Amino acid sequence: MGMIGGSMDAFIGAVHRRAAALDGEIELVCGAFSSNPEKSKATGKALFIDPERVYGSFDEMIEKEKLLPEDQRMDFVSIVTPNHVHFAPAKAALENGFHVIIDKPLAFSVAEAKALQKVVDKTGLILALTHTYTGYPLVKEARQMVKSGKLGKIRKVYVEYPQGWLSTFVERSGNKQASWRTDPSKSGAGGAIGDIGTHAANLAEYITGSNITEINAMLNIVVKGRKLDDDSSMLVKFENGASGVLLATQVAAGEENNLNIRVYGEKGGLEWRQEEPNTLVAKWLDKPKEIIRTGSGYLSDVAKLNTRTPSGHPEGYLEAFANIYLAFARAVRAYKPGKRIDPEKFDFPDVADGVRGMAFVDAVIKSSNSNKKWTQIKG
Amino acid sequence: MGMIGGSMDAFIGAVHRRAAALDGEIELVCGAFSSNPEKSKATGKALFIDPERVYGSFDEMIEKEKLLPEDQRMDFVSIVTPNHVHFAPAKAALENGFHVIIDKPLAFSVAEAKALQKVVDKTGLILALTHTYTGYPLVKEARQMVKSGKLGKIRKVYVEYPQGWLSTFVERSGNKQASWRTDPSKSGAGGAIGDIGTHAANLAEYITGSNITEINAMLNIVVKGRKLDDDSSMLVKFENGASGVLLATQVAAGEENNLNIRVYGEKGGLEWRQEEPNTLVAKWLDKPKEIIRTGSGYLSDVAKLNTRTPSGHPEGYLEAFANIYLAFARAVRAYKPGKRIDPEKFDFPDVADGVRGMAFVDAVIKSSNSNKKWTQIKG
Amino acid sequence: MGMIGGSMDAFIGAVHRRAAALDGEIELVCGAFSSNPEKSKATGKALFIDPERVYGSFDEMIEKEKLLPEDQRMDFVSIVTPNHVHFAPAKAALENGFHVIIDKPLAFSVAEAKALQKVVDKTGLILALTHTYTGYPLVKEARQMVKSGKLGKIRKVYVEYPQGWLSTFVERSGNKQASWRTDPSKSGAGGAIGDIGTHAANLAEYITGSNITEINAMLNIVVKGRKLDDDSSMLVKFENGASGVLLATQVAAGEENNLNIRVYGEKGGLEWRQEEPNTLVAKWLDKPKEIIRTGSGYLSDVAKLNTRTPSGHPEGYLEAFANIYLAFARAVRAYKPGKRIDPEKFDFPDVADGVRGMAFVDAVIKSSNSNKKWTQIKG
Amino acid sequence: MGMIGGSMDAFIGAVHRRAAALDGEIELVCGAFSSNPEKSKATGKALFIDPERVYGSFDEMIEKEKLLPEDQRMDFVSIVTPNHVHFAPAKAALENGFHVIIDKPLAFSVAEAKALQKVVDKTGLILALTHTYTGYPLVKEARQMVKSGKLGKIRKVYVEYPQGWLSTFVERSGNKQASWRTDPSKSGAGGAIGDIGTHAANLAEYITGSNITEINAMLNIVVKGRKLDDDSSMLVKFENGASGVLLATQVAAGEENNLNIRVYGEKGGLEWRQEEPNTLVAKWLDKPKEIIRTGSGYLSDVAKLNTRTPSGHPEGYLEAFANIYLAFARAVRAYKPGKRIDPEKFDFPDVADGVRGMAFVDAVIKSSNSNKKWTQIKG
């Protein structure tokens, strides 16, 4: 693996590196960690990487790695730059024969996302998108439960992603994470809706196995002076006839990273909260609620496959992240030119999810600006 | 106290009687428990009431009680009939000099509600509406915390009322509660939105001290064949500039009576869940979340006044209900013709809350039928 | 009902009155609320009691009530005085033909308790002891689950009663509750062990249906200057072969009234916590944990019989208390001289539980003073 | 790092490997994964290890690695074999100049443990013991809170470690984990008490900063036919005057890995549960309970140092484990012959903790067999 972005002071780069390292199946062999060559070098050194393979730019990395013998060069790139530097390196990597794993959102705009989808289609290579939260074993269990029909036809979906860290004007006081995420030139057209709303939408669609088709949205800039939305809520309709509510806000003061979802069908419901991810509560019409726990013997195969420790030994965010890396790495290993991988066997978010995410952001902004009640998502 | 409605097989009548009895300050002395005189008599007997004061109709009760000496006759009536039999007995009682406590909703329609408000205004008598949930001590504490400015200006309000008991077509199989609640001729124009949505709206307005001014709503009939909405969700805007989400549904399979609210201001947030009502969680920007508990020494006076036991001795639904009865009874005792009671001193929902509730239901139905995004509540 | 003790500034008197009033089946008709006649009168007035039936002493009350016609006089007495004034009024009431309901502990000493048991046996009248916590519907459900064999043979029992209110020397600063409870001349030989340890033991025995036979105990006086134990912990053995731990402490700073129990059998376990009494968690070897909830349709008949509201409408401490009063009152109503009542039908703690509680306290003190590991309870 | 034990089908070997890999500071370069050379080779291959450095025995590994140039050979060994194969490889490694990290318990017996302590003392090398649970950031926070005096003098400690997986006779049906853990020839004299009781004791001593000095214990073999204790409970006294209860059982049917601890001082208490390790509840005498959360800005430096992700991104068991590996690896890197490392700077359990653990098991067995109430731990 070669990494693009992720110098020492970035948050998400270290997360990707740990997720990749956890299972001992992926080795970080090179990187273009920063557009600042000194910074890139310092990062490479701290990571014990051969200085010859620490590059000053992603172009250089792709070019030089391509010249290495096949068994030495990197197999794929991991792109962990801010949103406006997603498209170019991803395109370059794919066009030069490298698979890609990329932090969400896929790109800066719907147009970029669709262009990237075409490159993936043309090259036949693998692109994974790190919508972390679908990597949790109990999210996979929830999807299986819906799929199996245990809940009956799904009627209601409530998905929420409240955070509180943008409750004050932190981008003005030098918070680096806040700065680029609230800057339209780096983040894209969506603020909270792009940063976390897409996670919420992806989670809901993954668990229900059904896409959001229409939304009725309100975007707000709650903190004065901010340039992008920091708060959103919307009514949603799903392809399968279900309806519900989606909300994503970064001004829920005192909330940490409280992504949660509740899904109700004819026979029962499910509730999952990311902050306590090893518990999934099932609710039933005529019998006691059930507490379903990560690592338990009664879980589905896919949940078990994505778990590393016995029940009662909590797994967390990094393990969920690692599940995406592991599925991607195994797909890369199984890759044969000209053959599509089986998404059931290698379960990770892909370029289509990325395009949908961008279309979702687009539609939410459109809906929020409209007096019309419902806006379709054109994905 | 004289009761109208509430024969032995009704649910809410017994709740009212227990709430009234709990503190030993209210005595049930007479009743017109059913339009069926036999049933009324049997109920009176089971309740150890003087058979002479068990009446066949509310008209008879009001007429005969009025003839009794002042120190013997009932002081007020408690009306616990289905919605379509709220207006007439309330009006009759007030016009004959009896105060009224009445189960919510106030009336069958906005018109009736406004007419009743006029009667209250004209007679100067006291009318209390049993929006139970604002009777909980920690709901009162939450209101105080908002009022005191501890949370800063309120920005977001999320209030939910999910139940699951109407997930199947139970009204067809003889569930009496379900039958009248899903019957427009008895319940009024709103189904879930009237039955429980009004509680959610009242709770949000009570805690924030601000009224909902605009809504953007979706009403659904999820269970086929049902005549009234069993599911609702809406975006809401408040007078003070806050916005949020309100949902009330009776098809969230597996949910019991899971009313809950989260309120976020500039400095922190609050979370309260009716099913564990003795805990209020406060969330803060820069310090640990706090678990505020009923009965604790650090609570506000109003919370303490509405609590009967020391902390760790859980109070519940009946105690919250009793708080409304007690505040009402003390207002009745303090009543002096021509003088308005102080709502801060005698804290219970009144006729204005009732009119607002009816206007809310009206606006939600209108919004749901409209393609326009936002509809104003005209209260 | 006539009350002995329970003047306006006492805590437990008001609890008993509310518990008695809740269901409308018991009327407080007279009282000797205080040994101070003025105080007794003031209390009676505040409670709307006929001044002629407010007495200056329990002797006077028993004597005068006995003279009233049978359909007017009190049916039973409720004794809510401190421990050292339990025996005399209970004995007097029974010997004059009045049933008795009495706050725990039964008496001041084992000797008194056994003497009272003899009076009960001789008179054939009914005595109920308000071990409140066995009044909760889910405690009754837990007992049923054990009885039914769902958990298999019981192996382990862990019961805890931590409170924090005696963490400082509050008895010195005028806390009335603390004063008598830490005074051996009023409380008896046990401090925390008598006040709350007996509740824990009673709860464990009630749920498991098996008596504690041997203990290995450590009593402590943690707060310097205190005269009675404020802290206890012990290993315990049960008649049925199970073993476990019992602890009761009043110096667990920050705890409210956190009585809780866990019981494990061959096939599964149960966990119940008094501060959230409407949830009982069942744990199983090979399937998800279950959340059993008060008011649910799937509960046992005895749990349902002891519940007043539908699921999701929380019940609390007063309702549990009222369950004991109601069962007692119905037993009193069903009473026929010379016939024993059926304890399965009228489910409340009785004189035998009271004697066991006193013997338990006695044994704990003996064990704590001994170097021998195990001490038998002689009940 | 070179690993001893940990072939593909072992549980704890993979945990150690992931913990070591997570932060990219430790590389697994060689191993003697099994006494079966074929199995060892297969494991090495699956782990992408140079076949030349996959050895057939720990002796061979130590001998051959020693011959490699200093910058190529392993820096330390990780020992993950069953208890009876701890002493020999640890001694051999140390005596040949390799630091050691070893799964708990330190050795098979107190004698072995003390002998190993002498080797450590003599060689001056570093030995870390993986008492995982003290690696959690909030356990470290709890220790800091006690140390800082926020809780006042510590009075009560309740530590529990209930599991349910040995509720049936699983060792008979081929459960490999159960087989060696219940076999005295492999596990040593303690069953549950050695396997998990030592974790509980270590956790209590780590948080309170005070050693357990005396115990009063009951060990049981609950499942018939089992050769070692599967259940224990005991009263405990600490050096600093506190007392409490410790229990460790593997027959609490339905429990997963529910290690938990509560500590109470004069001013407040703490509660931590391993299954939700990112929450630490602080309880106070006169103010609301607090929910302290991993990753929060208000935490101590040591807690922050042991955290990888922002608050709300849950960390788990592997991260706690990795904290021990990381502290150990950094100590190894900082190692200078003849100089002791600073235990405050490199915070991991060491050989002294290991010796104490063995002495604890010894004392518990002695106490359980004695009729005397209290037994001293001679550590």
Side-chain angles (χ1 to χ4, degrees):
Chain A
M1 160 169 129
M3 180 166 271
I4 297 170
S7 69
M8 288 321 275
D9 55 349
F11 155 61
I12 205 71
V15 167
H16 278 254
R17 284 191 293 267
R18 286 195 169 100
L22 186 63
D23 295 301
E25 301 198 12
I26 299 168
E27 194 182 356
L28 177 62
V29 294
C30 64
F33 300 104
S34 171
S35 50
N36 173 336
E38 289 315 301
K39 228 167 156 179
S40 188
K41 259 183 210 165
T43 300
K45 193 179 171 192
L47 299 171
F48 307 100
I49 292 176
D50 179 354
E52 304 233 334
R53 296 176 79 179
V54 179
Y55 304 100
S57 71
F58 68 81
D59 290 318
E60 188 196 347
M61 179 167 97
I62 289 167
E63 189 187 339
K64 294 219 175 130
E65 287 286 317
K66 214 179 160 182
L67 299 175
L68 294 176
E70 208 176 324
D71 65 337
Q72 284 177 36
R73 71 175 175 236
M74 66 180 185
D75 292 308
F76 64 88
V77 300
S78 166
I79 301 175
V80 297
T81 46
N83 305 352
H84 66 304
V85 196
H86 278 192
F87 177 71
K91 184 167 179 283
L94 290 165
E95 291 181 342
N96 284 282
F98 297 105
H99 305 282
V100 169
I101 186 164
I102 184 166
D103 206 74
K104 60 122 286 269
L106 181 59
F108 190 72
S109 66
V110 176
E112 272 192 8
K114 289 192 172 170
L116 203 53
Q117 189 172 32
K118 279 186 192 156
V119 180
V120 170
D121 286 349
K122 201 183 60 186
T123 60
L125 294 175
I126 303 167
L127 184 146
L129 189 75
T130 55
H131 267 309
T132 329
Y133 303 105
T134 55
Y136 279 107
L138 291 187
V139 168
K140 295 182 187 296
E141 184 71 12
R143 177 179 164 91
Q144 292 303 316
M145 287 180 72
V146 171
K147 212 172 177 177
S148 73
K150 275 183 198 167
L151 307 179
K153 193 169 176 305
I154 298 305
R155 294 164 162 181
K156 300 301 301 180
V157 180
Y158 305 111
V159 60
E160 304 179 340
Y161 201 149
Q163 296 181 330
W165 69 294
L166 294 183
S167 290
T168 59
F169 203 175
V170 285
E171 57 267 49
R172 182 170 283 171
S173 43
N175 181 317
K176 203 190 147 182
Q177 291 299 321
S179 293
W180 78 258
R181 282 171 210 260
T182 59
D183 178 350
S185 73
K186 292 183 179 156
S187 195
I193 192 65
D195 191 20
I196 60 173
T198 50
H199 276 310
N202 179 257
L203 182 68
E205 295 188 350
Y206 181 78
I207 289 179
T208 60
S210 181
N211 287 341
I212 301 174
T213 51
E214 285 183 90
I215 52 168
N216 169 359
M218 162 171 60
L219 283 183
N220 294 307
I221 295 178
V222 170
V223 173
K224 271 188 196 164
R226 186 157 285 157
K227 291 186 202 147
L228 286 173
D229 65 278
D230 50 20
D231 173 71
S232 65
S233 41
M234 69 200 72
L235 309 181
V236 296
K237 293 183 184 172
F238 288 78
E239 210 170 4
N240 67 359
S243 65
V245 176
L246 182 155
L247 68 89
T249 182
Q250 295 178 315
V251 296
E255 291 290 351
E256 302 172 20
N257 194 44
N258 191 4
L259 174 65
N260 66 81
I261 186 165
R262 286 154 290 153
V263 173
Y264 299 93
E266 297 162 321
K267 302 175 196 170
L270 289 176
E271 176 166 358
W272 181 80
R273 300 185 164 267
Q274 191 268 156
E275 293 188 355
E276 301 296 5
N278 299 300
T279 293
L280 172 68
V281 178
K283 308 178 181 187
W284 304 105
L285 280 184
D286 300 314
K287 56 181 185 179
K289 293 182 186 66
E290 289 174 321
I291 302 174
I292 295 167
R293 296 271 301 156
T294 305
S296 298
Y298 50 73
L299 294 175
S300 65
D301 287 346
V302 65
K304 285 179 182 167
L305 193 70
N306 284 278
T307 307
R308 289 162 185 81
T309 48
S311 73
H313 299 71
E315 303 203 352
Y317 177 79
L318 290 173
E319 286 81 359
F321 220 113
N323 286 339
I324 294 179
Y325 261 89
L326 195 57
F328 168 68
R330 289 179 174 175
V332 165
R333 211 172 291 142
Y335 168 75
K336 291 211 176 79
K339 289 212 171 168
R340 291 276 153 196
I341 57 158
D342 174 1
E344 285 303 311
K345 207 168 151 193
F346 302 103
D347 177 20
F348 55 81
D350 64 10
V351 73
D353 294 295
V355 171
R356 283 197 54 70
M358 297 306 299
F360 168 77
V361 172
D362 225 47
V364 170
I365 294 169
K366 194 175 155 193
S367 170
S368 184
N369 291 330
S370 164
N371 283 324
K372 222 182 48 173
K373 215 161 183 180
W374 294 98
T375 298
Q376 282 194 300
I377 300 181
K378 291 177 184 163
Chain B
M1 159 170 129
M3 181 165 272
I4 298 170
S7 71
M8 288 321 273
D9 54 350
F11 154 62
I12 206 68
V15 168
H16 279 254
R17 284 190 293 264
R18 287 195 169 99
L22 185 63
D23 295 301
E25 301 199 11
I26 299 168
E27 194 181 358
L28 177 63
V29 294
C30 62
F33 300 105
S34 170
S35 50
N36 173 335
E38 290 313 302
K39 229 164 154 180
S40 189
K41 258 181 210 166
T43 299
K45 192 178 172 193
L47 299 171
F48 307 100
I49 292 175
D50 178 353
E52 304 234 333
R53 295 175 79 180
V54 179
Y55 304 100
S57 71
F58 67 82
D59 290 319
E60 187 196 348
M61 179 165 99
I62 288 166
E63 188 186 341
K64 296 220 175 128
E65 287 288 317
K66 214 180 158 180
L67 301 176
L68 294 177
E70 207 176 328
D71 65 338
Q72 284 177 38
R73 70 173 173 237
M74 64 181 185
D75 293 307
F76 64 88
V77 300
S78 166
I79 302 176
V80 297
T81 45
N83 306 351
H84 66 305
V85 196
H86 279 191
F87 177 72
K91 184 167 180 283
L94 290 164
E95 291 181 345
N96 284 282
F98 297 105
H99 305 283
V100 169
I101 185 164
I102 183 166
D103 206 73
K104 56 120 291 265
L106 181 59
F108 189 73
S109 66
V110 176
E112 274 191 8
K114 290 191 171 169
L116 203 52
Q117 190 172 30
K118 279 187 191 153
V119 181
V120 170
D121 285 349
K122 202 183 58 188
T123 59
L125 294 175
I126 302 168
L127 183 146
L129 189 74
T130 55
H131 268 308
T132 328
Y133 302 106
T134 55
Y136 279 108
L138 290 188
V139 168
K140 296 183 186 295
E141 184 71 12
R143 178 180 165 91
Q144 292 304 316
M145 287 180 74
V146 170
K147 212 172 177 178
S148 73
K150 276 183 197 165
L151 307 179
K153 193 171 175 304
I154 298 306
R155 293 165 161 181
K156 300 300 301 178
V157 180
Y158 305 113
V159 61
E160 304 179 341
Y161 202 149
Q163 294 182 329
W165 69 295
L166 293 183
S167 290
T168 59
F169 203 174
V170 284
E171 58 267 49
R172 182 169 286 171
S173 41
N175 180 317
K176 201 189 148 183
Q177 290 299 320
S179 293
W180 78 259
R181 282 172 210 260
T182 58
D183 178 350
S185 73
K186 292 183 178 155
S187 196
I193 194 64
D195 191 20
I196 60 174
T198 49
H199 277 308
N202 179 257
L203 182 67
E205 296 187 350
Y206 181 77
I207 289 180
T208 61
S210 181
N211 286 342
I212 301 174
T213 52
E214 285 183 90
I215 52 168
N216 170 359
M218 163 171 59
L219 283 183
N220 295 305
I221 294 177
V222 169
V223 173
K224 272 188 195 163
R226 186 157 286 156
K227 291 186 203 146
L228 284 173
D229 66 277
D230 48 22
D231 173 71
S232 66
S233 40
M234 69 201 72
L235 308 181
V236 296
K237 292 184 185 170
F238 288 78
E239 209 169 4
N240 67 359
S243 64
V245 176
L246 182 155
L247 68 88
T249 182
Q250 294 177 315
V251 296
E255 292 291 352
E256 301 171 21
N257 194 44
N258 191 5
L259 174 64
N260 65 83
I261 186 165
R262 284 155 291 152
V263 173
Y264 300 93
E266 296 162 321
K267 302 175 194 169
L270 290 177
E271 177 167 357
W272 180 79
R273 300 185 165 271
Q274 192 268 154
E275 293 187 355
E276 301 296 5
N278 299 300
T279 294
L280 172 69
V281 178
K283 307 178 181 188
W284 304 106
L285 279 184
D286 300 313
K287 56 180 186 178
K289 294 181 185 67
E290 291 175 322
I291 302 174
I292 295 166
R293 297 269 301 155
T294 306
S296 300
Y298 51 73
L299 294 175
S300 65
D301 287 346
V302 65
K304 285 178 184 168
L305 194 69
N306 283 278
T307 307
R308 289 163 184 80
T309 49
S311 73
H313 298 72
E315 304 203 351
Y317 176 81
L318 290 173
E319 285 81 358
F321 221 112
N323 285 338
I324 295 178
Y325 261 89
L326 194 56
F328 168 71
R330 289 178 176 176
V332 165
R333 211 172 292 142
Y335 167 78
K336 292 210 176 82
K339 288 213 172 166
R340 290 277 154 195
I341 58 160
D342 174 0
E344 286 302 311
K345 207 169 153 194
F346 303 101
D347 178 21
F348 55 82
D350 64 10
V351 74
D353 294 295
V355 171
R356 284 197 54 69
M358 296 308 298
F360 168 77
V361 172
D362 224 45
V364 171
I365 294 168
K366 193 174 156 198
S367 170
S368 184
N369 291 331
S370 162
N371 282 324
K372 220 181 50 170
K373 215 161 182 178
W374 293 98
T375 298
Q376 283 195 301
I377 300 180
K378 291 176 183 163
Chain C
M1 161 170 127
M3 181 166 271
I4 299 171
S7 71
M8 287 323 271
D9 55 349
F11 154 61
I12 206 69
V15 168
H16 279 254
R17 284 191 292 267
R18 287 194 169 101
L22 185 63
D23 295 300
E25 302 197 11
I26 299 167
E27 195 182 356
L28 177 63
V29 293
C30 64
F33 300 105
S34 170
S35 50
N36 173 335
E38 288 315 302
K39 226 165 157 182
S40 188
K41 259 182 210 166
T43 300
K45 192 178 173 193
L47 299 171
F48 307 101
I49 291 176
D50 178 353
E52 304 234 331
R53 294 177 78 180
V54 179
Y55 304 100
S57 72
F58 68 82
D59 291 318
E60 186 196 348
M61 179 166 98
I62 288 167
E63 187 187 340
K64 296 221 174 128
E65 286 288 317
K66 213 178 158 182
L67 300 175
L68 294 177
E70 206 175 330
D71 65 338
Q72 284 176 40
R73 71 172 173 238
M74 65 180 184
D75 293 306
F76 64 88
V77 301
S78 166
I79 300 175
V80 297
T81 45
N83 306 351
H84 66 305
V85 195
H86 279 192
F87 177 73
K91 184 166 179 284
L94 289 165
E95 290 181 344
N96 283 283
F98 297 105
H99 305 281
V100 169
I101 185 164
I102 184 167
D103 205 73
K104 60 121 285 272
L106 181 59
F108 190 71
S109 65
V110 177
E112 273 191 10
K114 289 190 174 171
L116 204 52
Q117 190 172 31
K118 278 186 193 156
V119 180
V120 170
D121 285 350
K122 201 183 62 188
T123 59
L125 293 175
I126 303 169
L127 183 146
L129 188 74
T130 56
H131 267 308
T132 329
Y133 302 105
T134 56
Y136 279 108
L138 291 187
V139 168
K140 295 182 186 295
E141 184 71 12
R143 177 180 164 91
Q144 291 303 316
M145 287 180 74
V146 170
K147 213 174 178 177
S148 73
K150 275 182 197 166
L151 307 178
K153 193 170 175 305
I154 298 306
R155 294 165 162 180
K156 299 301 300 179
V157 180
Y158 305 112
V159 61
E160 304 179 341
Y161 202 149
Q163 295 182 331
W165 70 294
L166 293 184
S167 290
T168 59
F169 203 174
V170 285
E171 57 267 50
R172 182 170 285 173
S173 42
N175 180 317
K176 201 190 149 184
Q177 290 300 319
S179 293
W180 77 259
R181 282 171 210 260
T182 58
D183 178 350
S185 73
K186 292 183 177 155
S187 197
I193 193 64
D195 191 20
I196 60 174
T198 49
H199 276 308
N202 179 257
L203 182 67
E205 295 188 350
Y206 181 77
I207 289 181
T208 61
S210 181
N211 287 342
I212 302 175
T213 52
E214 285 182 90
I215 52 167
N216 169 358
M218 163 170 61
L219 283 183
N220 294 305
I221 294 177
V222 170
V223 173
K224 273 187 195 163
R226 186 157 286 155
K227 292 186 202 145
L228 285 173
D229 65 278
D230 49 20
D231 174 70
S232 66
S233 40
M234 69 200 73
L235 309 181
V236 295
K237 292 184 185 171
F238 288 78
E239 210 169 5
N240 66 0
S243 65
V245 175
L246 183 155
L247 68 89
T249 182
Q250 295 178 316
V251 296
E255 292 292 350
E256 301 171 22
N257 194 44
N258 191 5
L259 174 64
N260 66 82
I261 186 165
R262 286 155 291 151
V263 173
Y264 299 95
E266 295 162 322
K267 302 176 195 168
L270 290 176
E271 177 167 357
W272 181 79
R273 299 184 165 271
Q274 191 268 156
E275 293 187 354
E276 301 297 4
N278 299 300
T279 294
L280 172 69
V281 178
K283 308 179 180 187
W284 304 106
L285 279 184
D286 300 313
K287 57 180 186 179
K289 294 181 185 67
E290 289 175 321
I291 302 173
I292 295 167
R293 296 271 301 156
T294 306
S296 300
Y298 51 74
L299 294 175
S300 65
D301 287 346
V302 65
K304 285 179 183 167
L305 194 69
N306 283 278
T307 308
R308 288 162 185 81
T309 49
S311 72
H313 299 71
E315 303 203 352
Y317 176 81
L318 290 173
E319 287 81 357
F321 221 112
N323 286 338
I324 295 178
Y325 261 90
L326 194 55
F328 168 71
R330 289 180 176 175
V332 165
R333 211 172 291 140
Y335 167 77
K336 293 214 176 78
K339 290 215 171 166
R340 292 275 155 198
I341 58 160
D342 174 1
E344 286 302 312
K345 207 168 152 195
F346 302 102
D347 177 22
F348 56 80
D350 64 10
V351 74
D353 293 296
V355 171
R356 283 198 54 69
M358 297 308 297
F360 168 78
V361 172
D362 223 46
V364 170
I365 293 169
K366 193 174 155 197
S367 170
S368 185
N369 290 331
S370 163
N371 283 324
K372 220 182 50 170
K373 215 161 182 178
W374 293 98
T375 298
Q376 282 194 301
I377 300 180
K378 289 174 185 166
Chain D
M1 161 170 128
M3 181 165 271
I4 297 171
S7 69
M8 289 320 275
D9 54 350
F11 154 61
I12 205 71
V15 167
H16 279 253
R17 283 190 294 267
R18 286 194 170 100
L22 186 63
D23 295 301
E25 301 198 12
I26 299 168
E27 194 182 356
L28 177 63
V29 293
C30 63
F33 300 105
S34 170
S35 50
N36 174 334
E38 290 314 303
K39 228 166 154 181
S40 189
K41 260 183 210 166
T43 300
K45 193 178 170 191
L47 298 171
F48 307 101
I49 292 175
D50 179 353
E52 303 234 332
R53 295 175 80 178
V54 178
Y55 305 99
S57 72
F58 68 81
D59 291 318
E60 187 197 348
M61 180 166 97
I62 288 167
E63 188 187 339
K64 295 219 176 130
E65 287 287 316
K66 214 180 160 182
L67 301 174
L68 294 177
E70 208 176 325
D71 66 336
Q72 284 177 40
R73 71 173 176 237
M74 66 181 186
D75 293 307
F76 64 87
V77 300
S78 166
I79 300 175
V80 298
T81 45
N83 305 353
H84 65 306
V85 195
H86 277 192
F87 178 71
K91 184 166 179 285
L94 290 165
E95 291 181 342
N96 284 282
F98 297 105
H99 305 281
V100 169
I101 186 165
I102 184 166
D103 207 74
K104 61 122 286 271
L106 181 59
F108 190 73
S109 65
V110 176
E112 273 191 8
K114 289 191 172 170
L116 204 52
Q117 190 172 30
K118 279 187 190 155
V119 180
V120 170
D121 285 349
K122 201 183 60 186
T123 60
L125 295 175
I126 303 168
L127 184 148
L129 188 74
T130 55
H131 268 309
T132 327
Y133 302 105
T134 56
Y136 278 108
L138 291 187
V139 169
K140 294 181 187 297
E141 184 71 12
R143 177 180 165 90
Q144 291 304 315
M145 288 180 73
V146 171
K147 213 173 177 176
S148 73
K150 275 183 198 167
L151 307 179
K153 193 170 176 304
I154 298 305
R155 293 164 161 181
K156 299 300 301 178
V157 180
Y158 305 112
V159 60
E160 304 179 339
Y161 201 149
Q163 295 181 329
W165 68 295
L166 293 184
S167 289
T168 59
F169 203 175
V170 284
E171 57 267 49
R172 182 171 283 171
S173 42
N175 180 318
K176 202 188 147 182
Q177 289 301 319
S179 293
W180 77 258
R181 282 172 210 260
T182 58
D183 178 349
S185 73
K186 294 185 177 154
S187 196
I193 193 65
D195 191 20
I196 60 174
T198 50
H199 276 310
N202 179 256
L203 182 68
E205 296 188 350
Y206 181 78
I207 289 180
T208 61
S210 181
N211 287 341
I212 302 175
T213 52
E214 286 182 89
I215 52 168
N216 169 358
M218 161 171 61
L219 284 184
N220 294 306
I221 294 178
V222 170
V223 173
K224 272 187 195 163
R226 186 158 286 157
K227 291 184 203 147
L228 286 172
D229 64 278
D230 48 20
D231 173 71
S232 65
S233 41
M234 69 200 73
L235 309 181
V236 295
K237 292 183 184 171
F238 289 79
E239 210 169 5
N240 65 0
S243 65
V245 176
L246 183 155
L247 68 88
T249 182
Q250 296 178 314
V251 296
E255 291 292 349
E256 302 172 21
N257 193 45
N258 191 4
L259 175 64
N260 66 80
I261 186 165
R262 284 156 291 153
V263 173
Y264 299 93
E266 295 163 322
K267 302 176 195 168
L270 290 177
E271 176 166 0
W272 181 79
R273 301 185 163 270
Q274 191 267 157
E275 293 187 354
E276 301 296 4
N278 299 299
T279 294
L280 172 68
V281 178
K283 308 179 180 186
W284 304 106
L285 279 184
D286 300 314
K287 56 181 186 177
K289 292 182 187 68
E290 290 175 321
I291 302 174
I292 295 167
R293 296 270 301 157
T294 305
S296 299
Y298 51 73
L299 294 175
S300 65
D301 287 346
V302 66
K304 285 179 183 167
L305 193 71
N306 284 277
T307 307
R308 289 162 184 81
T309 49
S311 73
H313 299 71
E315 302 203 353
Y317 176 80
L318 290 173
E319 287 81 359
F321 220 112
N323 286 339
I324 294 179
Y325 260 89
L326 195 56
F328 168 70
R330 289 178 175 176
V332 165
R333 211 172 291 141
Y335 167 77
K336 292 211 177 81
K339 290 213 171 167
R340 293 274 154 196
I341 57 159
D342 174 1
E344 284 303 311
K345 206 169 153 194
F346 302 104
D347 177 21
F348 54 83
D350 63 11
V351 73
D353 294 296
V355 171
R356 283 196 54 69
M358 297 307 299
F360 169 77
V361 172
D362 226 46
V364 170
I365 293 169
K366 194 175 154 196
S367 170
S368 183
N369 291 330
S370 162
N371 283 325
K372 221 182 50 172
K373 214 160 181 179
W374 294 98
T375 298
Q376 281 195 300
I377 300 181
K378 292 176 182 163

